[in-house]
Amino acid sequence: MNDIAHNLAQVRDKISAAAARCGRASEEITLLAVSKTKPASAIAEAIDAGQRAFGENYVQEGVDKIHHFQQQGICTLQWHFIGPLQSNKSRLVAENFDWCHTVDRLRIASRLSEQRPAHLPPLNVLIQINISDEQSKSGIALVDLDALAAQVAELPGLCLRGLMAIPAPQADYEGQFAVARQMAVAFEALKTRYPTVDTLSLGMSDDMSAAIAAGSTMVRIGTAIFGARDYTKN
Ligand SMILES: *Cc1c(COP(=O)(O)O)cnc(C)c1O
């Protein structure tokens, strides 16, 4: 087994253990492999190990990888855009990705909807919540969620699937769980109003267990699968 296959198996075991501890089925939680800055060869190893969903933060880098695997005839992959999105890059996301986790304003949502090609299914979108109210982070406040969700749900090129957050680091499990529960409560409420909503993208390496216990349905893991990132090569 290569390193990436080994790491993936370990991460999957951790997800299963965290799910079992709170009485959830591990199938309820999707593992998103965050492959930003990693070469296509690393993604290919993960694909060989059975991974299908990949997360990318930089638009052009992600599009290059998507095209690479399309040219190889590998069409069963799911590509998630998880980075901050500028308006001038929205077309590339709309035309190439399957999901966008970082919708946080109507302007970007409208553009994604208009730019989504008609031959593709609607782009799956998550509304990003700035749950820790950090100035440096994108995302909206929870009080603004209902208004934006109502607008996004009307856009024909998009399918509203749920919520995403990147909570500020917490000192302990209890702190992580408390923040994750705030997200889960908002997610459950949204779900009752929109039948397409089924995804809470929450939990990274350090807070995965608390996020799963609180109700996350998708965890985003990079380093634990692909190793440390080297930004000097970009
Ligand atoms: C990079 C990134 C991750 C993965 O982070 P790791 O520390 O490598 O596991 C998850 N979510 C988002 C939004 C990211 O940008």
Coordinates of all heavy atoms in Angstrom, one line a residue, residues 34 36 57 82 164 166 204-205 220-223 229, ligand 1:
V34 N -9.0 17.0 0.3 CA -8.5 18.3 -0.1 C -7.2 18.3 -0.7 O -6.2 18.0 -0.1 CB -8.6 19.3 1.1 CG1 -8.1 20.7 0.6 CG2 -10.0 19.4 1.7
K36 N -5.6 20.6 -2.8 CA -4.9 21.8 -3.2 C -3.4 21.7 -3.1 O -2.9 21.2 -2.1 CB -5.4 23.0 -2.3 CG -5.1 22.9 -0.9 CD -5.7 24.1 -0.1 CE -5.5 23.9 1.4 NZ -6.6 24.4 2.2
N57 N -8.9 24.7 -3.7 CA -9.1 26.1 -3.3 C -8.8 27.1 -4.3 O -9.2 28.2 -4.2 CB -8.2 26.4 -2.1 CG -8.6 25.7 -0.9 OD1 -8.6 24.4 -0.9 ND2 -8.8 26.4 0.2
I82 N -13.7 24.9 -2.8 CA -13.8 25.2 -1.4 C -13.0 26.5 -1.0 O -12.9 26.8 0.2 CB -13.4 24.0 -0.5 CG1 -11.9 23.7 -0.7 CG2 -14.2 22.8 -0.7 CD1 -11.4 22.7 0.3
M164 N -21.7 25.4 4.9 CA -20.3 25.1 5.2 C -19.7 26.1 6.1 O -20.2 27.3 6.2 CB -19.5 25.2 3.8 CG -18.0 25.0 3.9 SD -17.1 26.5 4.2 CE -15.6 26.1 3.4
I166 N -15.8 27.2 8.4 CA -14.5 27.0 8.9 C -14.4 27.6 10.3 O -14.0 28.8 10.3 CB -13.4 27.6 7.9 CG1 -13.7 27.2 6.5 CG2 -12.0 27.2 8.3 CD1 -12.9 28.0 5.4
M204 N -12.4 19.5 10.0 CA -11.2 19.3 9.4 C -10.4 18.4 10.3 O -10.9 17.8 11.2 CB -10.5 20.7 9.2 CG -11.4 21.6 8.3 SD -10.9 23.3 8.0 CE -9.2 23.3 7.7
S205 N -9.1 18.3 10.1 CA -8.3 17.3 10.8 C -8.5 17.4 12.4 O -8.7 16.5 13.1 CB -6.8 17.4 10.5 OG -6.6 17.3 9.1
R220 N -13.6 17.7 5.6 CA -12.6 18.1 4.6 C -11.2 17.9 5.1 O -10.8 18.6 6.0 CB -12.8 19.6 4.2 CG -14.3 20.0 3.8 CD -14.4 21.5 3.6 NE -13.8 22.3 4.6 CZ -14.6 22.9 5.6 NH1 -15.9 22.8 5.6 NH2 -14.0 23.6 6.5
I221 N -10.5 17.0 4.5 CA -9.2 16.6 5.1 C -8.2 16.6 4.0 O -8.3 16.0 2.9 CB -9.3 15.1 5.6 CG1 -10.5 15.0 6.6 CG2 -8.0 14.8 6.3 CD1 -10.3 15.7 7.9
G222 N -7.1 17.4 4.2 CA -6.0 17.5 3.2 C -4.7 16.8 3.7 O -4.4 15.7 3.3
T223 N -4.1 17.5 4.6 CA -2.7 17.1 5.1 C -2.7 15.6 5.6 O -1.7 14.9 5.2 CB -2.3 18.0 6.2 OG1 -2.4 19.4 5.8 CG2 -0.8 17.8 6.5
R229 N 1.7 20.5 2.8 CA 1.7 21.2 1.5 C 3.0 22.1 1.5 O 3.4 22.7 2.4 CB 0.5 22.2 1.4 CG -0.8 21.4 1.1 CD -1.9 22.3 1.0 NE -2.4 22.9 2.2 CZ -3.2 22.3 3.1 NH1 -3.7 21.1 2.8 NH2 -3.5 22.9 4.2
Ligands
LIG1 C1 -7.0 23.4 3.1 C2 -8.4 23.2 3.6 C3 -8.8 22.1 4.2 C4 -7.9 20.9 4.6 O1 -6.9 21.3 5.5 P1 -5.8 20.3 6.1 O2 -5.3 21.0 7.3 O3 -4.8 20.1 5.0 O4 -6.5 19.1 6.4 C5 -10.2 22.0 4.6 N1 -11.1 23.0 4.3 C6 -10.7 24.1 3.6 C7 -11.7 25.1 3.4 C8 -9.4 24.3 3.3 O5 -9.0 25.4 2.6

